[in-house]
Amino acid sequence: MLYEKIQLEPNEEVLKVVRKHWFIIVSELFGTFLMLLAPFFMIFFIMILPFEFIPDTIHLESHLPLIIYIVSIWSLMALMTGFMIWTHYYLDLWIITDRRIIVIDQVRFFDRQVSSFRLERLQDIRYSIDGLIATFLKFGTIRAQTAGMGENSFKTTGLPDPRELQSIIQKATDARLGIINEHHHTH
């Protein structure tokens, strides 16, 4: 798995690994699929037009190599877009451990941002589920704010069951603060 490449601290335990909700990738890939089919629909539409709508000066047979070339380039671009969407979906991760939240954001093919947020610095974590589809399929946005140098905040949209994720993070944060406070009292 991709998250196994992340360097964990000694005795750090992974609680949950999360990708965006399946509906996000399906909806994005559906748009790409429609984009892939667009030139074929246009060619079909032109072919079913009655001949009186096509000017006599245009002979489609003579333009066939150009049409094939344009459709090929269009299809290649649509397929590349589909692979880019799948790559983003697969490589974007939230890793929740008993000590921190690690957010991996694949910005472009060769541009990845990895952020790590310590649970003991977490000040506020909120989730929102906006819209009918998101409510029925249980996906939404998580926003978190951390204390520290320069007040950091982070937000990720399209996460599955954000209520459960907030609960896992809150329990891990409470447990982490309990361990730290217990450690400080014994010294």
Side-chain angles (χ1 to χ4, degrees):
M1 252 344 240
L2 178 71
Y3 73 89
E4 292 171 353
K5 305 266 188 257
I6 298 293
Q7 187 70 37
L8 296 177
E9 298 172 2
N11 300 323
E12 185 175 16
E13 180 184 343
V14 174
L15 302 176
K16 185 123 178 142
V17 177
V18 182
R19 284 192 173 83
K20 290 192 175 189
H21 194 274
W22 62 265
F23 181 78
I24 303 299
I25 188 172
V26 167
S27 61
E28 290 175 352
L29 286 177
F30 182 72
T32 304
F33 181 69
L34 290 179
M35 189 175 97
L36 179 66
L37 294 180
F40 299 104
F41 282 128
M42 288 188 334
I43 290 169
F44 177 74
F45 183 70
I46 289 171
M47 291 178 73
I48 63 167
L49 275 176
F51 285 112
E52 58 265 13
F53 289 112
I54 300 174
D56 291 337
T57 57
I58 296 177
H59 300 289
L60 290 179
E61 298 84 26
S62 63
H63 297 293
L64 192 60
L66 179 63
I67 292 170
I68 291 172
Y69 178 75
I70 291 171
V71 169
S72 298
I73 295 295
W74 182 270
S75 299
L76 182 63
M77 296 302 245
L79 289 172
M80 285 176 56
T81 301
F83 282 118
M84 183 184 69
I85 289 168
W86 183 84
T87 301
H88 280 264
Y89 171 79
Y90 186 74
L91 296 178
D92 282 359
L93 286 174
W94 263 48
I95 303 167
I96 303 167
T97 74
D98 59 345
R99 298 181 188 176
R100 58 192 169 142
I101 302 169
I102 303 164
V103 179
I104 302 170
D105 185 23
Q106 188 73 29
V107 182
R108 289 182 292 277
F109 277 120
F110 301 105
D111 186 7
R112 179 181 305 152
Q113 294 178 352
V114 179
S115 306
S116 179
F117 305 94
R118 309 260 343 144
L119 292 179
E120 57 266 17
R121 292 191 184 147
L122 190 64
Q123 282 186 331
D124 184 33
I125 183 154
R126 296 179 188 179
Y127 72 90
S128 60
I129 299 173
D130 300 320
L132 188 64
I133 294 172
T135 301
F136 282 124
L137 296 178
K138 293 183 182 177
F139 66 89
T141 302
I142 290 192
R143 291 175 184 83
Q145 188 167 351
T146 61
M149 293 181 261
E151 291 275 325
N152 292 323
S153 64
F154 57 100
K155 170 181 125 174
T156 302
T157 59
L159 291 172
D161 204 352
R163 182 178 297 133
E164 179 200 7
L165 292 176
Q166 181 202 31
S167 175
I168 290 169
I169 293 167
Q170 193 63 56
K171 286 176 186 171
T173 301
D174 292 345
R176 183 75 182 146
L177 289 174
I179 290 171
I180 290 173
N181 288 336
E182 185 179 295
H183 181 69
H184 285 300
H185 290 305
T186 58
H187 285 101

